[in-house]
Amino acid sequence: AQSVAQPEDQVNVAEGNPLTVKCTYSVSGNPYLFWYVQYPNRGLQFLLKYITGDNLVKGSYGFEAEFNKSQTSFHLKKPSALVSDSALYFCAVRDGSTGGFKTIFGAGTRLFVKA
Amino acid sequence: KAGVTQTPRYLIKTRGQQVTLSCSPISGHRSVSWYQQTPGQGLQFLFEYFSETQRNKGNFPGRFSGRQFSNSRSEMNVSTLELGDSALYLCASRAGQGTSYEQYFGPGTRLTVT
């Protein structure tokens, strides 16, 4: 079965420090992987995706993610955290077992960046 | 381009009633997906429509249904509402062709069932 795991409910970092939000996945076939961010009382915003190609993908707001096939991971990273990065982050994977485009989301990781 | 819009933004219904939520995708997008977001279950996929055809359906009872119109606008309907249907319902649109796999989400409709 296709699945996404975000092992940390919450991540706390100090402003200016690097941040990592972890994600592991299980899919059949080639993974289509995504990160989304949700600010309070708003819908989700697309950050970045991995479909194919370079394992390090860069996205919006200075975020990047590294695809690791052997570890089935797609961790989100940022070299220097900002207080404004505080939000709920979701990792997602396309369910390749069906036709169309069914997306499975992880449970989400709440990021707190302290000034 | 205007983003994904959802109406209404907030809704209060009583058990047993039915409700219809509306979603207007980004202009030119042909794929619309619906999700239910709750604190306990997180984000759960409801269904996806592409060119007026339902292509995928999540594990929800038949009380949840949807449709898509020729202009790509979509509606979802929940009949015989239950307390557990209280949630934020999110709509997302996608171009649906090429490598544009990312989804663009609307602000959601907050449904409260009393």
Side-chain angles (χ1 to χ4, degrees):
Chain A
Q2 328 289 313
S3 64
V4 177
Q6 293 181 243
E8 302 154 317
D9 291 335
Q10 184 171 310
V11 170
N12 299 308
V13 298
E15 188 174 35
N17 283 0
L19 69 87
T20 298
V21 183
K22 295 179 180 177
C23 171
T24 59
Y25 65 90
S26 174
V27 295
S28 57
N30 294 322
Y32 291 16
L33 297 158
F34 307 86
W35 276 101
Y36 290 86
V37 60
Q38 187 176 34
Y39 298 100
N41 300 315
R42 293 172 67 174
L44 277 70
Q45 294 180 31
F46 168 74
L47 276 179
L48 50 79
K49 65 183 177 186
Y50 173 84
I51 306 299
T52 186
D54 195 353
N55 289 344
L56 183 66
V57 293
K58 295 186 183 297
S60 307
Y61 313 120
F63 284 93
E64 58 188 29
E66 186 168 11
F67 170 65
N68 188 315
K69 188 173 183 178
S70 62
Q71 297 185 6
T72 62
S73 67
F74 190 56
H75 301 330
L76 181 70
K77 300 182 180 185
K78 187 173 182 181
S80 179
L82 299 172
V83 172
S84 57
D85 292 330
S86 298
L88 186 57
Y89 290 81
F90 291 95
C91 181
V93 65
R94 178 198 176 204
D95 182 346
S97 66
T98 69
F101 199 84
K102 177 180 177 180
T103 306
I104 299 170
F105 282 82
T109 298
R110 192 164 295 279
L111 173 66
F112 287 101
V113 181
K114 186 175 181 181
Chain B
K1 270 187 184 178
V4 178
T5 58
Q6 293 187 245
T7 56
R9 290 293 310 278
Y10 301 92
L11 208 48
I12 299 175
K13 292 285 189 179
T14 56
R15 275 186 303 173
Q17 288 186 313
Q18 76 166 17
V19 67
T20 299
L21 311 181
S22 181
C23 171
S24 292
I26 290 172
S27 178
H29 284 192
R30 297 167 62 188
S31 169
V32 173
S33 296
W34 288 88
Y35 297 86
Q36 181 195 66
Q37 185 177 21
T38 60
Q41 298 297 318
L43 270 163
Q44 292 193 289
F45 173 82
L46 280 156
F47 24 66
E48 182 214 3
Y49 287 87
F50 182 86
S51 294
E52 301 179 67
T53 301
Q54 185 182 90
R55 296 205 299 182
N56 278 292
K57 191 175 192 303
N59 296 323
F60 279 82
R63 299 185 297 108
F64 291 81
S65 63
R67 59 178 175 168
Q68 187 181 33
F69 302 95
S70 59
N71 61 359
S72 293
R73 192 178 69 84
S74 177
E75 289 182 346
M76 69 163 279
N77 183 276
V78 188
S79 62
T80 320
L81 284 166
E82 300 178 358
L83 295 178
D85 296 334
S86 294
L88 180 66
Y89 289 88
L90 293 167
C91 164
S93 78
R94 189 172 62 88
Q97 51 203 6
T99 58
S100 54
Y101 297 106
E102 61 269 26
Q103 296 177 84
Y104 295 87
F105 285 78
T109 294
R110 173 78 61 186
L111 172 64
T112 302
V113 182
T114 62

